[in-house]
Amino acid sequence: MESVWSRDTQIPSRETLHGNISADIAIIGAGMAGVLIAYSLKKIGYNPIILEASRIGSGQTKNTTAKITSQHNLIYHKLIAQFGKEQARQYAEANQRAVTEYRNIISRENIDCRLETRSAFLYSKKNSEPLIEETEAAQSLGIPADFTTTTALPFEVAGAVVFRDQAQFHPLKFLEAISKPIEIYENTRVKTVEENKIITDNGTITASHIVFAAHYPFINVPGYYFLRMHQERSYVIALEKTARLDGMYLGIGSGGLSFRDNGSSLLLGGGGHRTGENSDGGIYNLLRQKAKEYYPDSVETACWSAQDCMTVDGVPYIGRYSSATPGWYVATGFQKWGMTSSMVSAMIISDLITRGKSEYEEVFSPNRFKPSASLNVLFEEGKQAVKGQVKMYFYVPKEHISHIENGHGGIIDYNEKKIGVYKDDTGHPHFIEVKCPHLGCQLEWNPDEKSWDCPCHGSRFDYKGNLLDNPAQSPLLGGYKIKNED
């Protein structure tokens, strides 16, 4: 499974860090947020470095649908009610400005990344009332929004909110261009951060300012991000031989679908669920059924999935990591709006580092959550759940996995221990420890992607136990064998 962006763009590789270095600013994560933050700081005159566990853009950036928009589902009516009009206006202005900033950078750097101006539609097939409320809320905050009942979708709608002059682009071509002048170390996984020191397997970086832009913060305390975010997965298929659209579309409510053109193809997305809650599978097939219903002559050319951090109040955490760590900053919890939120992160964090303040920091402040002292106890219990795991070999009788079919995975109980089993297409079993190394939650099998997913905090692992998504920082334990295996 590979996105359309990955198929036609290979960003040149960078060297791995070896040895100890110092920097004014160190950024963890070379996705869109991390690179944009570094780009913004470099333009001001700083020389930030980026540490990336894998490759540039290898995380969620390569799996986005790449919509650049301030339309973030039914957000503005909710923001006014929960945060007040002033903070709601901050959110609106920051995201509207983010759309403009993308255009400015692309024009200034002369980047060929297929930037196209598009309207963003939020639609419903059944209920127009929340869309009318959202239109009025957006208008009250200065966003040029309109309500309409006319769309280019292949079905009737009850109504839609439309934001004009939004955009879409090729994210990896953009990322490749802006990352060229930035000092980036790939295949350099950060193990931990202690005050102003970043510790990796191959060296230590000492920095005055440290930015966590690696999707999900892996330092649990302080910050407690694991208590105020969960992760969700969503799925996309690319289709040829479909009708052209006049904009980017997203359906509200259960079963809502995402639509956007990409050259001659259409990207159809949906099927979102909390990570670790897809035991039945079948989401790609659901999208394929919708494709045949709406575009009978369409042909699928690609399919892939993405993962998003969801905050408890629907607003990203962008700003100072915690009150206890004055030199640390964070950009996370982007919901489904990673491209726009990445630019907002660059705007806010570059201002905080260079000026000590940002006009948008109040609404996005990570410190709007105030943990109590009792959370330290919860964290210690979590550490104990994974403490003392030792790699060793266990022998599982064949009859204990006979019910698992080839190409499928499941959990078995053997000798008072839960073991994850995946049988490949030849019937060969792959065993793993199903306790997540992050905080000890039991993993669940995801049949659509042949992965072991954590329903607590969203860490993911392939069927061999290799780490796919954080906040976990290490692979799963294996070492189980079939008893009396031939």
Side-chain angles (χ1 to χ4, degrees):
M1 297 179 184
E2 185 179 38
S3 73
V4 292
W5 322 122
S6 298
R7 285 186 173 182
D8 65 4
T9 304
Q10 295 295 323
I11 300 176
S13 61
R14 305 291 184 92
E15 66 181 52
T16 299
L17 176 70
H18 292 288
N20 301 329
I21 62 174
S22 297
D24 288 336
I25 304 165
I27 299 167
I28 303 170
M32 189 63 75
V35 174
L36 273 173
I37 292 167
Y39 172 88
S40 178
L41 289 165
K42 195 168 184 66
K43 283 295 180 183
I44 300 170
Y46 291 83
N47 289 301
I49 67 167
I50 301 179
L51 307 171
E52 167 56 45
S54 181
R55 295 290 318 284
I56 298 170
S58 62
Q60 302 311 313
T61 299
K62 73 179 188 304
N63 295 324
T64 176
T65 52
K67 299 173 181 177
I68 307 172
T69 175
S70 59
Q71 186 189 80
H72 297 171
N73 212 316
L74 298 173
I75 184 70
Y76 293 107
H77 183 266
K78 173 184 169 184
L79 280 178
I80 292 171
Q82 295 185 355
F83 285 71
K85 203 157 190 177
E86 177 54 36
Q87 289 193 37
R89 183 176 286 108
Q90 284 183 27
Y91 185 97
E93 289 179 357
N95 283 285
Q96 283 283 91
R97 181 181 157 193
V99 179
T100 300
E101 286 298 313
Y102 271 108
R103 290 195 177 99
N104 291 343
I105 292 172
I106 291 167
S107 175
R108 182 171 63 242
E109 305 290 351
N110 193 27
I111 301 173
D112 181 11
C113 60
R114 301 207 295 264
L115 179 72
E116 298 176 279
T117 297
R118 288 286 187 272
S119 294
F121 293 80
L122 191 65
Y123 73 88
S124 173
K125 297 173 72 173
K126 297 180 179 180
N127 188 5
S128 64
E129 183 175 347
L131 298 169
I132 294 172
E133 290 181 342
E134 185 68 6
T135 302
E136 294 171 349
Q139 290 172 343
S140 74
L141 299 173
I143 296 175
D146 296 299
F147 178 80
T148 183
T149 56
T150 302
T151 73
L153 292 170
F155 46 77
E156 295 294 322
V157 301
V161 187
V162 55
F163 286 20
R164 309 293 179 187
D165 297 322
Q166 308 297 294
Q168 61 187 37
F169 72 148
H170 190 306
L172 293 189
K173 290 188 180 298
F174 175 82
L175 194 68
E176 179 181 20
I178 67 169
S179 64
K180 286 180 180 178
I182 299 169
E183 185 178 354
I184 301 175
Y185 295 94
E186 294 185 326
N187 298 307
T188 302
R189 181 176 293 280
V190 174
K191 297 169 63 178
T192 190
V193 181
E194 298 174 356
E195 297 182 347
N196 67 335
K197 294 186 183 298
I198 302 173
I199 300 167
T200 76
D201 285 329
N202 301 310
T204 299
I205 303 88
T206 303
S208 300
H209 303 278
I210 297 172
V211 182
F212 293 78
H215 187 62
Y216 195 118
F218 56 89
I219 301 295
N220 290 317
V221 178
Y224 300 96
Y225 292 96
F226 70 98
L227 288 175
R228 46 195 178 123
M229 287 198 304
H230 70 274
Q231 299 200 67
E232 292 185 2
R233 298 201 64 72
S234 54
Y235 302 77
V236 185
I237 59 175
L239 304 169
E240 295 286 350
K241 298 183 179 180
T242 63
R244 296 283 295 174
L245 295 177
D246 60 346
M248 307 172 292
Y249 288 84
L250 177 67
I252 65 172
S254 177
L257 297 174
S258 167
F259 300 79
R260 68 149 284 193
D261 285 332
N262 175 49
S264 63
S265 65
L266 173 76
L267 307 186
L268 174 64
H273 63 83
R274 182 171 176 136
T275 302
E277 295 183 355
N278 185 36
S279 58
D280 293 333
I283 294 178
Y284 282 118
N285 288 336
L286 174 63
L287 290 177
R288 289 162 184 147
Q289 291 169 9
K290 292 296 182 182
K292 288 303 179 184
E293 178 183 349
Y294 299 138
Y295 306 104
D297 298 324
S298 63
V299 177
E300 181 182 329
T301 58
C303 67
W304 70 95
S305 61
Q307 182 147 300
D308 299 290
C309 292
M310 314 298 288
T311 65
V312 294
D313 58 14
V315 176
Y317 300 125
I318 303 171
R320 302 185 192 280
Y321 197 96
S322 76
S323 59
T325 52
W328 293 10
Y329 307 84
V330 68
T332 189
F334 293 169
Q335 310 288 108
K336 307 289 184 179
W337 315 106
M339 297 299 96
T340 324
S341 296
S342 290
M343 185 65 79
V344 172
S345 299
M347 290 155 41
I348 292 175
I349 291 177
S350 61
D351 277 347
L352 290 176
I353 290 175
T354 59
R355 300 194 298 117
K357 61 181 180 179
S358 167
E359 60 193 299
Y360 309 120
E361 64 181 298
E362 186 178 8
V363 67
F364 292 100
S365 173
N367 296 310
R368 63 185 184 266
F369 173 83
K370 304 297 182 183
S372 67
S374 63
L375 295 184
N376 287 322
V377 177
L378 179 61
F379 175 62
E380 287 301 320
E381 289 177 352
K383 286 200 300 184
Q384 291 300 318
V386 295
K387 185 179 179 181
Q389 292 181 342
V390 179
K391 186 170 183 178
M392 59 186 298
Y393 285 98
F394 294 87
Y395 291 88
V396 181
K398 286 185 177 181
E399 60 266 22
H400 281 259
I401 63 169
S402 60
H403 64 286
I404 298 176
E405 298 178 0
N406 291 1
H408 293 272
I411 296 175
I412 64 170
D413 287 293
Y414 180 64
N415 283 351
E416 299 182 352
K417 194 173 188 68
K418 291 187 179 295
I419 302 169
V421 185
Y422 167 70
K423 282 186 181 178
D424 61 27
D425 292 337
T426 68
H428 179 72
H430 300 264
F431 299 100
I432 53 90
E433 172 73 74
V434 290
K435 182 183 291 184
C436 181
H438 175 232
L439 285 177
C441 295
Q442 180 176 303
L443 304 175
E444 300 294 336
W445 178 247
N446 180 351
D448 280 317
E449 302 178 90
K450 297 188 186 305
S451 62
W452 293 100
D453 299 353
C454 177
C456 297
H457 309 110
S459 300
R460 299 179 61 247
F461 310 83
D462 68 17
Y463 67 86
K464 294 181 179 179
N466 298 311
L467 180 65
L468 297 174
D469 285 302
N470 60 351
Q473 292 294 96
S474 59
L476 299 176
L477 296 179
Y480 299 92
K481 289 185 175 182
I482 287 291
K483 195 172 184 178
N484 299 321
E485 185 175 26
D486 295 332

